[in-house]
Amino acid sequence: MALTKEESAAVISKFGANEADTGNTKVQIAIMTERIKQLTAHVQQFPKDTGASRGLLKIIGQRRKMLKYLQRTDLNTYRQLIKDLGLRK
């Protein structure tokens, strides 16, 4: 259920400065967003899977913290990332 190497590489190349730029806040948030999409589909298909539900909530919380950090440190990048990822419509 984790992201495949190809999916991760596509996200990193889109949001990172280069292929090895995995520590960038934008890249981390984008990877978390892709993982959240996968887990959301899984939880909708298997509603009794409480472990997946808990993992989904943990990742959502981590992403929320990173988005707050990005908003606090670089507002323009935050706004562009929100727009690119389709969050907060």
Side-chain angles (χ1 to χ4, degrees):
M1 284 205 1
L3 288 175
T4 63
K5 288 183 181 183
E6 293 81 19
E7 292 170 339
S8 298
V11 170
I12 292 168
S13 66
K14 182 176 180 183
F15 291 99
N18 56 38
E19 295 300 319
D21 191 18
T22 58
N24 191 342
T25 307
K26 294 189 315 184
V27 174
Q28 290 182 14
I29 292 171
I31 289 175
M32 283 184 205
T33 301
E34 291 301 316
R35 184 75 178 117
I36 287 170
K37 288 177 185 175
Q38 283 186 347
L39 277 173
T40 301
H42 176 80
V43 169
Q44 286 174 349
Q45 186 177 1
F46 303 101
K48 293 186 179 182
D49 189 355
T50 56
S53 298
R54 185 173 185 275
L56 175 62
L57 292 175
K58 282 184 73 169
I59 294 174
I60 289 171
Q62 289 174 349
R63 184 181 71 177
R64 184 181 307 133
K65 287 178 188 177
M66 293 195 84
L67 283 169
K68 278 185 178 180
Y69 166 77
L70 189 61
Q71 183 180 20
R72 198 174 58 239
T73 56
D74 191 359
L75 188 59
N76 291 330
T77 303
Y78 167 79
R79 288 180 178 158
Q80 185 62 40
L81 184 65
I82 293 296
K83 184 178 175 185
D84 291 344
L85 292 175
L87 302 175
R88 297 195 178 99
K89 297 174 182 174

